Amino acid sequence: MDIHEYQAKEILAGFGVPVPRGGLAYSPEQAGYRARELGGQAWVVKAQIHSGGRGAAGGVKLCKSEDEVRTYAGTLFGKNLVTKQTDAAGKGVYRVWVEGASDIRQELYLGFVMDRTSERIMIVASAHGGMEIEDLAQGDPDSLRRMVVDPAVGLADYQARELAFALGLTGGQVAQMVTVLHACYRAYRDLDAMMVEINPLVITGTGDLVALDAKMSFDTNALYKHPQIAALRDPSQEDPREATAADNGLAYVGLDGDIGCIINGAGLAMATMDMIKLSGGEPANFLDIGGGASPERVCQAFRTVLTDKNVSVILVNIFAGINRCDWIANGVVQAYREVGLTLPVVVRLAGTNVKEGQEIIRNSGLPILAADTLAEAAQAAVAARPTAAAA
Ligand code: GDP
Ligand code: MN
């Protein structure tokens, strides 16, 4: 789960990371008041969306007067901001952060991620921050410093100092960097984060370290331990289809094709999508209905898939272990009737109670196409598309 920059800054500040003073606004007028409260001559107005790359997309602006703050904030509210990291629809701006402008001497990059190879938290840092980590890794890979933390010991002071020196920091900056590193590490570990990124971490004109941007994302499986983090969820930043599906216990990811997929198990779902592509089709979605799916859940899966207007055929592929083919078949028949389906449906069932399941489909009298293998199912779905018939 992602959170906003201003929320990440508040959390990290609580662990000891220096951040600029700022205030949140829900309207252009309020943004103006925030600037006045903060005082000073210049402010940075920042669109709060769950995405980076806002600077390049026009979502971050240095303003020199209260009027400019208001006017610029006015151009952001209610708009969808499209960045390099969002899809073509972008993300809605409903909050802006107004911050006293910082005097930047140098921009550093600092990130904490889960390294799956070493199964440990890895720190990634560079003396050349500001640009996205992907661009850094491409354009300036030699500047990247990586360090893995032993969970039994935690981040050691000598490691933190070593990293600070490797970034070319000197004098008091080294101690400041050690503080920032410990703070991020503790925040990451204590709150079950998946990612902490400060980009840029800047050296100001007075030589001090300040986090100008902050990004955190959290392990959704651990959110039950951190209700204060779970409360930061912002549904306005989520794909409404994926959010509704998640509320119904379905793992759904929308894609660009026209073959709607209802599958149990993430692995089988991936394999089915590969098989669709191999057969010359494009999946409209990834959908895992999970184990023990009731007929109601299957119905819900149909509704979710059908919210995508590009879908022209539905492929149901179930390998029933915990699931039972008769439940799934009942769900398919029920969905057909309740949703008033007119699209072709291909069903492939295997595993527990497969005979009963196939019988339910056969006796339903519905024009459901049955397939025995995964490959047959994918080919049947590709052939059943109206576009395929026209061609
Ligand atoms: P992102 O593009 O979504 O990652 O947003 P950032 O918060 O990283 O802002 C993008 C860029 O705006 C930064 O890399 C800085 O160069 C610039 N920026 C942000 N805050 C300030 C500031 O206080 N003063 C100045 N001069 N530039 C800033
Ligand atoms: Mn940034």
Side-chain angles (χ1 to χ4, degrees):
M1 186 192 83
D2 294 335
I3 61 172
H4 288 294
E5 171 198 2
Y6 78 93
Q7 296 166 329
K9 278 180 169 163
E10 191 189 346
I11 291 171
L12 293 177
F15 281 85
V17 175
V19 300
R21 287 200 318 130
L24 191 66
Y26 289 91
S27 72
E29 291 67 37
Q30 202 187 355
Y33 295 139
R34 288 301 192 204
R36 195 184 309 171
E37 281 165 20
L38 288 165
Q41 261 86 58
W43 303 268
V44 178
V45 178
K46 310 182 78 175
Q48 296 299 293
I49 56 168
H50 285 184
S51 169
R54 296 163 303 166
V60 176
K61 189 168 191 265
L62 183 70
C63 298
K64 298 281 177 60
S65 71
E66 211 181 297
D67 240 10
E68 201 185 342
V69 167
R70 239 191 319 269
T71 310
Y72 173 66
T75 67
L76 289 177
F77 276 106
K79 292 263 169 55
N80 274 25
L81 195 62
V82 179
T83 76
K84 258 175 83 176
Q85 296 177 13
T86 67
D87 60 17
K91 299 224 162 157
V93 183
Y94 305 103
R95 308 172 201 192
V96 305
W97 179 245
V98 183
E99 190 170 86
S102 301
D103 176 14
I104 302 175
R105 195 196 290 166
Q106 190 187 339
E107 300 192 326
L108 313 174
Y109 175 90
L110 180 60
F112 288 65
V113 290
M114 184 54 67
D115 177 42
R116 292 181 189 281
T117 311
S118 61
E119 301 177 353
R120 282 161 193 208
I121 296 172
M122 181 189 270
I123 307 174
V124 184
S126 165
H128 305 155
M131 57 177 136
E132 303 302 319
I133 180 67
E134 292 81 6
D135 299 334
L136 253 179
Q138 277 242 312
D140 194 6
D142 293 341
S143 81
L144 289 178
R145 299 277 172 275
R146 294 187 179 82
M147 186 170 270
V148 164
V149 182
D150 183 335
V153 182
L155 178 65
D157 272 342
Y158 82 86
Q159 279 188 303
R161 276 195 301 273
E162 204 175 290
L163 195 55
F165 289 133
L167 294 174
L169 301 182
T170 52
Q173 288 165 4
V174 174
Q176 288 185 27
M177 189 63 180
V178 170
T179 302
V180 168
L181 289 169
H182 279 305
C184 291
Y185 179 75
R186 286 190 191 118
Y188 191 110
R189 188 196 55 194
D190 294 359
L191 299 173
D192 289 296
M194 296 289 283
M195 194 257 297
V196 172
E197 187 184 63
I198 301 179
N199 186 27
L201 173 67
V202 301
I203 303 174
T204 65
T206 53
D208 294 306
L209 289 183
V210 177
L212 274 210
D213 190 10
K215 204 168 166 182
M216 289 185 84
S217 83
F218 298 89
D219 182 351
T220 39
N221 293 311
L223 282 178
Y224 74 97
K225 287 195 268 177
H226 310 289
Q228 76 282 26
I229 301 297
L232 301 179
R233 181 180 164 195
D234 180 356
S236 79
Q237 301 296 305
E238 298 169 1
D239 181 326
R241 294 178 301 172
E242 291 175 16
T244 315
D247 290 342
N248 287 301
L250 305 166
Y252 173 91
V253 180
L255 300 166
D256 298 329
D258 66 337
I259 301 180
C261 299
I262 297 176
I263 300 161
N264 76 310
L268 187 60
M270 300 296 283
T272 307
M273 289 159 62
D274 281 349
M275 199 56 93
I276 288 172
K277 288 211 167 211
L278 201 64
S279 309
E282 289 290 334
N285 64 274
F286 167 99
L287 189 153
D288 174 9
I289 58 167
S294 63
E296 288 68 34
R297 179 116 59 96
V298 177
C299 259
Q300 192 55 51
F302 269 89
R303 279 194 209 95
T304 303
V305 168
L306 287 169
T307 54
D308 180 349
K309 294 299 160 223
N310 290 331
V311 169
S312 65
V313 52
I314 295 180
L315 170 54
V316 181
N317 185 17
I318 304 294
F319 189 91
I322 301 169
N323 279 308
R324 289 172 36 181
C325 288
D326 51 331
W327 290 348
I328 302 288
N330 275 325
V332 172
V333 171
Q334 195 177 318
Y336 222 106
R337 301 213 161 104
E338 272 179 28
V339 182
L341 255 185
T342 51
L343 299 179
V345 177
V346 178
V347 177
R348 182 252 180 168
L349 298 173
T352 311
N353 292 1
V354 63
K355 283 213 176 67
E356 290 86 335
Q358 284 165 347
E359 208 156 305
I360 290 165
I361 301 272
R362 219 176 307 118
N363 295 340
S364 71
L366 294 168
I368 297 170
L369 303 162
D372 286 332
T373 67
L374 172 50
E376 272 175 43
Q379 283 156 11
V382 170
R385 293 173 310 163
T387 44

